């Protein structure tokens, strides 16, 4: 019985650690498949073109994207567009919509949705480049004003979009 338990734990450990190697010949950090020849990255400021405006959204989104690539990859951030990888785009949507209407035509719940168009240019491997829109949302009580919940839900939505963009670029999803 003790031998069987040891064998199961050993097999589980073997399978767990066998997935920790590099992917596609690149280094693997937090699941990243950034190739070693990709050295520099430029993330441009994301202007806010959404009809409904949040004055700090552009800066918060840009800094969050820069931080995730700085912290989870070995890429060096640059301030010039001659980088190996370039990320640019714009905020295209910042919308509030009712989700659950009560019998008195009042929303029981609202949804804030943020959409961001991202252009990713890989100057080393152009087949990896893309132009895509990423969207995320969070619901909040219908009794609350957007201004009351914005400081709580906007960072959550930005983090979801950050993770979507990171996965699309660094994990090739």
């Amino acid at each position: 019985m003790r031998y069987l338990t040891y064998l199961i734990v050993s097999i589980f450990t073997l399978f767990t650690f066998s997935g920790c190697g590099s992917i596609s010949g690149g280094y693997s950090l937090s699941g990243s498949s950034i190739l070693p020849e990709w050295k520099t990255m430029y993330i441009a400021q994301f202007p806010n073109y959404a009809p409904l405006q949040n004055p700090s959204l552009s800066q918060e989104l840009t800094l969050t994207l820069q931080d995730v690539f700085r912290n989870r990859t070995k890429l060096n951030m640059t301030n010039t567009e001659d980088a190996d990888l370039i990320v640019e785009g714009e905020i295209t949507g910042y919308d509030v919509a009712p989700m659950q209407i009560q019998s008195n035509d009042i929303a029981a719940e609202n949804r804030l949705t943020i959409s961001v168009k991202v252009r990713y240019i890989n100057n080393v491997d152009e087949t990896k480049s893309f132009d895509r829109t990423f969207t995320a949302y969070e619901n909040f009580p219908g009794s609350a004003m957007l201004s009351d919940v914005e400081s709580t839900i906007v960072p959550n939505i930005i983090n979801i979009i950050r993770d979507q963009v990171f996965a699309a670029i660094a994990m090739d999803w």
Side-chain angles (χ1 to χ4, degrees):
M1 181 68 171
R2 178 178 274 177
Y3 176 76
L4 183 60
T5 304
Y6 175 75
L7 180 63
I8 291 171
V9 169
S10 297
I11 291 172
F12 177 76
T13 303
L14 176 67
F15 282 119
T16 300
F17 288 111
S18 67
C20 294
S22 66
I23 301 172
S24 304
Y27 59 82
S28 178
L29 181 62
S30 298
S32 175
S33 62
I34 303 288
L35 297 178
E37 58 266 23
W38 302 350
K39 303 284 185 201
T40 58
M41 180 174 224
Y42 171 68
I43 299 178
Q45 183 77 25
F46 277 69
N48 191 345
Y49 297 134
L52 181 62
Q53 290 284 310
N54 175 321
S56 63
L57 184 60
S58 174
Q59 183 176 3
E60 288 178 37
L61 175 66
T62 302
L63 290 175
T64 300
L65 285 172
Q66 290 170 344
D67 287 346
V68 74
F69 282 95
R70 185 178 293 113
N71 295 331
R72 294 186 188 172
T73 71
K74 293 181 181 178
L75 294 166
N76 294 315
M77 290 294 143
T78 68
N79 293 326
T80 63
E81 293 184 18
D82 64 346
D84 296 331
L85 312 177
I86 299 171
V87 178
E88 58 187 17
E90 57 270 343
I91 299 161
T92 58
Y94 190 85
D95 305 303
V96 178
M99 295 310 299
Q100 296 178 5
I101 304 298
Q102 298 172 342
S103 61
N104 55 0
D105 290 336
I106 297 175
E109 192 170 59
N110 290 314
R111 175 174 289 175
L112 174 62
T113 303
I114 299 175
S115 300
V116 179
K117 184 174 184 176
V118 175
R119 283 176 300 284
Y120 167 58
I121 302 161
N122 186 320
N123 288 318
V124 180
D125 183 355
E126 290 183 17
T127 65
K128 303 289 186 186
S129 298
F130 62 76
D131 193 344
R132 220 182 273 174
T133 297
F134 297 90
T135 302
Y137 64 86
E138 188 159 323
N139 295 343
F140 62 95
S143 61
M145 298 293 295
L146 177 61
S147 58
D148 295 336
V149 298
E150 239 173 342
S151 63
T152 304
I153 65 174
V154 168
N156 296 340
I157 297 170
I158 289 173
N159 287 340
I160 293 168
I161 292 173
R162 172 204 65 200
D163 292 345
Q164 292 172 350
V165 172
F166 184 80
I169 293 171
M171 297 178 201
D172 215 6
W173 287 4

